[in-house]
Amino acid sequence: MGTSSGVAPAGGGRTPKFAAGRDTPLPGLSGTWERMGDASSSSWPSSTGAAAAAASAYDYERDPRWAEYRASSAVPPHLFTDPYVRAHLQHKFYHRFVVDSNFPVEGMSSTTSTQPSASTGGASTSAGENARPPDSGINSAGPARSRLSLQLDQRSLHFSVNAWVLIVALIGIFPLAPRSLQYKGYRLSLLGTTCTTGYALFAFYRLPRAGNLQAVQAWFHLVTSSKDFIPFMYCLMFVTSKLHLKLVLVPVICWALEHVARFLRRHFTSSSLYRTYLEQPCTWVDANTTAVHFLRSNAEILLGFLLILSLLSPQRNAMQTFMYWQLLKLMYHSPFTAGYHRAIWLKIGRTINPYIHQYTPFLHDPINAGMRWWFR
């Protein structure tokens, strides 16, 4: 969606490869980049008429909203490779953003999946819950309106909490605010993001339906691969910590800013207050999403090095540092953040690798050991 230079967001097309320069990158940092998803091919669910033909011919890759919609759908990457699931998401996107509500969206049949039930049972259940069942006539109009009203109320509540998080986080990072107010804003913003992301995870995945180890592992894999798991663990890790680093609030502000701007652009375009004061900032955020994601990723990586330096201070916490680097490793491999983190790590490797070769060659073995753990 943004026009900034760099790599495309994860989940929206292929991640470009960087041309090799004169400097040799760190081992393991300059390999072949993974494909972050390719939604160019699809097979549509059965629909008839000119509307379905127009939906099939629509170029989704040129629409910047498609990448954001796919990332926010929380469909696991391995399930998105199913052409029917991908086509159904495109169908819903076309119905929601391109045409009016008269365009039909059919429900997904439970017999269309060709993947084994043992490996994707939980993921198929998640996609089936997201899919809207077909209209059954006048009798379903009332419950459908009730579900829509409930979803809108939940989204409004989520928006209100994120707007509150954005305000208190800005207070917590503002240098001229009183120190006690900064500390309260710091804690409240982390707590608010923890609650909203934790509730989103629980509302979508609930609890494992079976108590055996296999069901718990499948449920945990779905939860850890979702979009809300990373901000949930990030904020939970720092809201319980004694460290007070203002850099921690940069990703929190980015998450809240994206959600607030997206909600305002969707639901407040007819408001005179929005058009007068908020339309230009929201449009800027929407047009510079890639820059916002890179800012957030740079802050997350820099924070990892600051935690290593904090081990030399009285407030050191070795367990928190280790857990945060585990989270950074997850960010490196997650499809929602991998594109940005890999670009930054590649740039870091190409910058410091010549100095390591020239001045500290004894660091090669520790770095290689760390790389083996990183890519494991």
Side-chain angles (χ1 to χ4, degrees):
M1 296 174 62
T3 57
S4 305
S5 60
V7 298
R14 300 179 181 177
T15 310
K17 298 178 180 178
F18 285 77
R22 294 182 179 180
D23 297 334
T24 305
L26 278 172
L29 285 179
S30 61
T32 304
W33 282 45
E34 298 179 7
R35 291 185 58 182
M36 303 310 300
D38 188 356
S40 58
S41 61
S42 63
S43 60
W44 283 98
S46 56
S47 294
T48 59
S56 300
Y58 187 73
D59 190 355
Y60 295 89
E61 298 305 317
R62 291 186 177 273
D63 194 328
R65 298 170 298 181
W66 165 243
E68 178 186 356
Y69 180 79
R70 177 193 164 187
S72 62
S73 65
V75 176
H78 68 277
L79 185 61
F80 189 76
T81 57
D82 189 328
Y84 191 85
V85 176
R86 182 172 62 250
H88 186 78
L89 277 182
Q90 291 176 341
H91 214 166
K92 291 178 67 177
F93 173 84
Y94 189 84
H95 163 265
R96 181 173 184 178
F97 293 104
V98 182
V99 297
D100 56 17
S101 58
N102 295 326
F103 182 75
V105 179
E106 297 184 357
M108 290 180 62
S109 172
S110 60
T111 60
T112 56
S113 177
T114 59
Q115 299 185 7
S117 59
S119 60
T120 60
S124 301
T125 302
S126 304
E129 292 173 356
N130 282 339
R132 182 187 304 173
D135 295 336
S136 58
I138 299 177
N139 295 332
S140 64
R145 283 196 296 268
S146 300
R147 288 194 299 269
L148 181 60
S149 176
L150 180 60
Q151 290 178 359
L152 187 58
D153 291 341
Q154 291 177 346
R155 292 174 182 173
S156 300
L157 179 61
H158 196 196
F159 161 75
S160 302
V161 176
N162 275 280
W164 172 76
V165 166
L166 178 61
I167 294 173
V168 296
L170 290 175
I171 294 176
I173 206 172
F174 188 61
L176 300 181
R179 188 172 183 83
S180 60
L181 192 61
Q182 289 182 12
Y183 184 78
K184 290 181 180 179
Y186 175 87
R187 293 294 177 185
L188 290 175
S189 59
L190 291 173
L191 182 61
T193 307
T194 304
C195 293
T196 54
T197 53
Y199 174 76
L201 289 173
F202 175 76
F204 190 79
Y205 295 103
R206 298 294 177 179
L207 295 176
R209 296 186 176 181
N212 53 49
L213 181 60
Q214 185 178 2
V216 173
Q217 288 178 342
W219 173 83
F220 186 74
H221 175 73
L222 289 177
V223 171
T224 54
S225 61
S226 64
K227 185 178 182 180
D228 291 318
F229 180 75
I230 289 177
F232 172 74
M233 288 302 302
Y234 177 91
C235 295
L236 182 63
M237 195 175 300
F238 286 103
V239 76
T240 57
S241 172
K242 296 181 180 180
L243 284 176
H244 182 196
L245 301 173
K246 290 187 177 181
L247 186 64
V248 173
L249 295 181
V250 173
V252 176
I253 292 174
C254 292
W255 286 318
L257 186 63
E258 284 185 79
H259 181 87
V260 169
R262 183 166 59 248
F263 188 90
L264 289 175
R265 283 176 60 84
R266 288 181 182 176
H267 302 284
F268 287 87
T269 53
S270 59
S271 171
S272 59
L273 179 65
Y274 168 80
R275 291 196 302 268
T276 304
Y277 299 103
L278 301 176
E279 184 175 14
Q280 187 173 357
C282 291
T283 303
W284 184 89
V285 173
D286 187 54
N288 294 274
T289 304
T290 303
V292 174
H293 288 181
F294 268 112
L295 173 63
R296 186 186 72 202
S297 301
N298 275 286
E300 291 165 348
I301 293 174
L302 179 58
L303 187 59
F305 290 104
L306 288 180
L307 287 177
I308 293 178
L309 293 178
S310 70
L311 295 176
L312 304 177
S313 68
Q315 294 180 330
R316 57 182 174 270
N317 191 332
M319 180 59 68
Q320 182 190 15
T321 303
F322 176 74
M323 293 299 296
Y324 185 77
W325 276 91
Q326 286 280 1
L327 185 63
L328 280 180
K329 178 182 176 181
L330 178 62
M331 293 176 184
Y332 185 87
H333 294 283
S334 172
F336 302 106
T337 55
Y340 308 102
H341 276 255
R342 294 185 182 197
I344 296 171
W345 281 113
L346 180 63
K347 186 176 180 180
I348 292 174
R350 296 177 63 180
T351 301
I352 68 174
N353 197 53
Y355 298 100
I356 293 177
H357 276 294
Q358 185 174 359
Y359 300 108
T360 57
F362 59 89
L363 291 179
H364 279 296
D365 291 338
I367 290 176
N368 288 334
M371 287 299 161
R372 286 193 297 270
W373 167 80
W374 188 262
F375 291 106
R376 189 168 54 195

